[in-house]
Amino acid sequence: MTLPYANGRRLELAAIGLGALCIAYFYLLDRLIFSTVGFSPIFRFLLTAYDFTTAWLALLVCLFAVFWNRPAPVLKFVDFLGKHPLPLATATAVALAAGCVFVYHDYPLSMDEYAAVFQAKIFASGHTFAQLPGGVTDWLVMHGFNGSFLLASPQTGRAIEQYWPGFALVLAPFEFFGAPWICNASISGLGIYLIYWITKEITSDRRSAGWAILFALASASFIANGISYYSMQAHLTANLLFAALLIRPSWPRVVGAGLVGSLALNLHNPVPHALFAVPWIASIGLQRKRQPHLLPLLLGYLPGVAIGLRWVLFRSDIGSGHHDLTAFAAVGGGVFLWPDVTSLNMRAAALIKMVVWAVPCLFLFAIYGFVRNRADSRVQLLACSALLTFVGYLLVRFDQGHGWGYRYFHSAWGVIPILAACAMRQRSPANMKLISFGGATAILSLLIMVPFQLNQIAQFISAHLAQIGSPRRPGNNIFFIHPLGGFYVADMVQFDPLLRDPDLYLVSHGAQLDAQLVDQNWPTAIKISSNRAADQWYIAEDPRIPIPGRSRQRQFVFTYVPH
């Protein structure tokens, strides 16, 4: 038995062992060793209901791949991918845009997604904040979400997102043209090309770059975030572009990397990029021949730092009426803590989610790729960025809540298919077992696991939206959401900053006050349904009035708000 064949066999056994460990984790969960105590309900539900099933499917894929011993068709497919990176990146963007509409329902499912969409609509309308009608803040923003996801002043009516504004700025042009579903899809297409380019730069091998494309496209984590409204795909792509510019540093590239870092720091908070960038900045500062590049890199960051600080002050103005940076420090103190039993249980679950939302054994291939190419400083830096990102979030007290895969790691996830592709770099034609197994797992994941997980997402969102019923068409509907009446129905209180949507989703204040609000503002409305999650009122004629200076746009108005 040759050494390459032995490596392939060892990886097969390790992959099957990893799959078995993932399944064992679920059987031990809340029985022995591992616990979900302290998990948010949505994190626990997605982990135990969906990821458990996927873990079994991943193990079956690995078992089937063991018996695949035909590397020729795999290599032919990989070579095709490696020869057509730009068309594949474009096709990826088109496919994911369709996925956002038909799988994700073109809907910001979680408040993390909605906050950026809300701010993007504000920017697209030419403003920096929304001006809400007087006294209506508590009807539009769920109690507990004001200060967590949105920031709305009951006194002034001004409202913005709580997160930093970078992703909203990126999304704003797409909102302006009424096609926000193209945004993350386009970012994903660029991410695919960057994964290809960095891999080819490191390996000098187009086939290896083709492997990187295959590993990325066959991983549900990459696809799911690409059809969502999360900012994590933008983090992933920005960090890859940052690394690509520094792989072959020159003064223009280094300044460009700093400018990309400026955007990345502001995408929704600065931590994901900071963790990724630290090894690269340290490398420049510690190598004498590269030290001249440190100053232009830091200069490139200045616009982003200035924007971030200005946003913090602006946010403080809206929230408290004065510049209160101590409040910002208090928020940081509430996010970070030293790891304890609860947080370590969260991260154990996160590791499982990372494995089951990627090509089976992808992380094993990535480790092998790092070991084979560890003498390459670029490989070292990529691996350090990924490791530091995971370790850094050990200090975060949240489990992430909603999300597909482990989204706290997703900003560095682009490193994984690159390192895995380095494992497939051919030094000898003898290593056909590794190629057969890796190709079979990736292709089966692309054909079976990704559609399976996308179907899970579509079913979950459909069931989520069905809790309050469908809006009547044509017509105008007002929904009063009961925060405790369903599963995460509070996240469905979403509104356009200018109140232009044909339907209005409000926080219920009880049947009496809800009826008063309707009677005083829309007296022709009739109540057509009521359930645990929401009450629905229907208005036969459009009650919205033209917006001054925007004759083609109409908005809801409130002339009376009960207290």
Side-chain angles (χ1 to χ4, degrees), residues 400-540:
Q400 87 166 18
H402 214 301
W404 313 111
Y406 180 43
R407 62 184 173 90
Y408 285 176
F409 179 75
H410 198 73
S411 56
W413 190 92
V415 169
I416 304 305
I418 294 171
L419 295 180
C422 289
M424 313 306 288
R425 187 177 180 182
Q426 288 304 293
R427 297 175 180 171
S428 166
N431 201 4
M432 293 297 104
K433 188 60 180 174
L434 183 67
I435 291 170
S436 296
F437 179 70
T441 53
I443 293 172
L444 287 173
S445 180
L446 179 64
L447 296 178
I448 298 174
M449 290 190 62
V450 171
F452 177 79
Q453 290 173 282
L454 290 180
N455 184 61
Q456 287 181 326
I457 293 172
Q459 288 183 347
F460 179 84
I461 297 176
S462 295
H464 176 74
L465 296 175
Q467 293 182 92
I468 66 167
S470 301
R472 180 177 290 188
R473 297 288 184 238
N476 305 278
N477 303 268
I478 300 171
F479 292 90
F480 290 97
I481 308 295
H482 307 308
L484 303 178
F487 191 62
Y488 280 80
V489 292
D491 288 34
M492 300 181 73
V493 182
Q494 302 182 7
F495 63 98
D496 177 83
L498 298 181
L499 303 179
R500 295 167 295 187
D501 290 337
D503 303 310
L504 199 57
Y505 295 82
L506 302 173
V507 181
S508 174
H509 283 55
Q512 184 177 355
L513 291 180
D514 295 349
Q516 287 183 25
L517 181 71
V518 172
D519 290 342
Q520 294 294 325
N521 291 282
W522 311 287
T524 61
I526 58 173
K527 190 174 184 178
I528 62 173
S529 70
S530 179
N531 59 36
R532 291 180 61 251
D535 299 326
Q536 181 178 354
W537 295 70
Y538 172 72
I539 310 172

Side-chain angles (χ1 to χ4, degrees), residues 99-172:
C100 182
V101 174
F102 296 108
V103 176
Y104 219 79
H105 297 254
D106 189 21
Y107 182 73
L109 179 62
S110 71
M111 291 303 296
D112 286 301
E113 296 170 276
Y114 163 64
V117 171
F118 177 81
Q119 188 64 45
K121 289 181 177 180
I122 296 174
F123 289 147
S125 69
H127 299 89
T128 55
F129 62 87
Q131 184 62 60
L132 305 181
V136 80
T137 301
D138 289 339
W139 295 78
L140 291 169
V141 182
M142 186 68 65
H143 178 70
F145 290 173
N146 194 351
S148 299
F149 302 103
L150 300 183
L151 190 62
S153 170
Q155 292 77 32
T156 66
R158 293 191 299 173
I160 60 172
E161 71 164 321
Q162 173 69 8
Y163 298 119
W164 291 30
F167 184 58
L169 285 168
V170 174
L171 182 59

Side-chain angles (χ1 to χ4, degrees), residues 65-240:
V66 167
F67 297 99
W68 183 261
N69 291 309
R70 297 178 58 194
V74 170
L75 291 176
K76 186 176 181 180
F77 182 54
V78 169
D79 287 340
F80 171 82
L81 297 178
K83 291 176 182 178
H84 303 91
L86 284 175
L88 282 168
T90 303
T92 298
V94 172
L96 294 186
C100 182
V101 174
F102 296 108
V103 176
Y104 219 79
H105 297 254
D106 189 21
Y107 182 73
L109 179 62
S110 71
M111 291 303 296
D112 286 301
E113 296 170 276
Y114 163 64
V117 171
F118 177 81
Q119 188 64 45
K121 289 181 177 180
I122 296 174
F123 289 147
S125 69
H127 299 89
T128 55
F129 62 87
Q131 184 62 60
L132 305 181
V136 80
T137 301
D138 289 339
W139 295 78
L140 291 169
V141 182
M142 186 68 65
H143 178 70
F145 290 173
N146 194 351
S148 299
F149 302 103
L150 300 183
L151 190 62
S153 170
Q155 292 77 32
T156 66
R158 293 191 299 173
I160 60 172
E161 71 164 321
Q162 173 69 8
Y163 298 119
W164 291 30
F167 184 58
L169 285 168
V170 174
L171 182 59
F174 298 92
E175 284 286 357
F176 180 81
F177 289 106
W181 38 274
I182 297 178
C183 180
N184 260 344
S186 301
I187 290 171
S188 302
L190 176 58
I192 285 293
Y193 186 77
L194 288 169
I195 287 171
Y196 165 87
W197 188 90
I198 293 172
T199 306
K200 187 171 181 292
E201 188 70 17
I202 291 173
T203 63
S204 300
D205 179 23
R206 182 177 288 177
R207 175 177 286 176
S208 295
W211 277 107
I213 291 176
L214 176 59
F215 286 142
L217 292 179
S219 294
S221 177
F222 182 86
I223 300 300
N225 280 279
I227 65 174
S228 76
Y229 282 98
Y230 283 113
S231 64
M232 306 319 299
Q233 203 79 333
H235 275 292
L236 179 151
T237 301
N239 284 341
L240 287 175

